[in-house]
Amino acid sequence: MTETINELELTVSRRIPAPRDKVFDAWLSPPILAKIMRPGGKHMTSKVTNDPVKGGRFSIIMNDAGKEMPHAGTYLEIDPHSRLAFTWESAHSPDDSVVTIDFTESEPGITDVTLHQVRFLSEQARDSHRGGWTAILECIEEAVA
């Protein structure tokens, strides 16, 4: 089988009414990650393990009606309250796909989150991830409210 890797990328952003440190810390908290990593809806469940240090690994197993969807990655950069970068391993992206999340506090108590992911197997995979990340950003807003 020949696999074609595309240099496709996506960016999603969201303004979250919460302090930057609270939003950033939520991304590294396994209990909160388990709540937000359900892009298909609240009926989904997720199991999360996390070692949030540079070079540390995370695992997220999303479950939708008995169908498990494993995701994993390695932290490349953790700049507290400003930036996270990690590889994103899933069935729809190559293992060297990278997600970078920037956190900026545009005004007191308001955090702008910009998520950028590079490398996908196809345009369809990229578009699916765009929907998933958008839903996850909506969930994190609910989680930190």
Side-chain angles (χ1 to χ4, degrees), residues 3 6 11 22 30-31 33-34 39 60 62 64 67-68 77 93 104 109 118 131 140 142:
E3 188 174 84
N6 293 301
T11 300
K22 188 174 183 179
L33 280 172
I60 301 165
M62 300 174 189
D64 190 0
K67 180 182 176 190
E68 290 192 342
E77 181 179 356
S93 58
T104 56
V118 297
I140 200 165
E142 291 177 21

Side-chain angles (χ1 to χ4, degrees), residues 10 39 92 117 120 122-136:
L10 68 79
H92 304 289
Q117 184 174 359
F120 294 91
S122 66
E123 288 184 14
Q124 181 181 9
R126 179 201 55 200
D127 294 345
S128 176
H129 277 79
R130 183 186 319 278
W133 287 124
T134 298
I136 288 166

Side-chain angles (χ1 to χ4, degrees), residues 45-111:
T45 60
S46 290
K47 293 183 210 168
V48 175
T49 60
N50 195 21
D51 181 18
V53 296
K54 184 175 180 181
R57 299 270 305 156
F58 66 85
S59 170
I60 301 165
I61 300 174
M62 300 174 189
N63 187 312
D64 190 0
K67 180 182 176 190
E68 290 192 342
M69 297 166 280
H71 299 75
T74 301
Y75 287 103
L76 304 173
E77 181 179 356
I78 299 177
D79 183 2
H81 309 141
S82 296
R83 176 176 268 205
L84 291 174
F86 48 85
T87 61
W88 184 252
E89 303 160 18
S90 76
H92 304 289
S93 58
D95 289 349
D96 61 349
S97 181
V98 174
V99 175
T100 303
I101 308 172
D102 289 304
F103 304 83
T104 56
E105 194 159 304
S106 55
E107 57 187 276
I110 304 293
T111 303

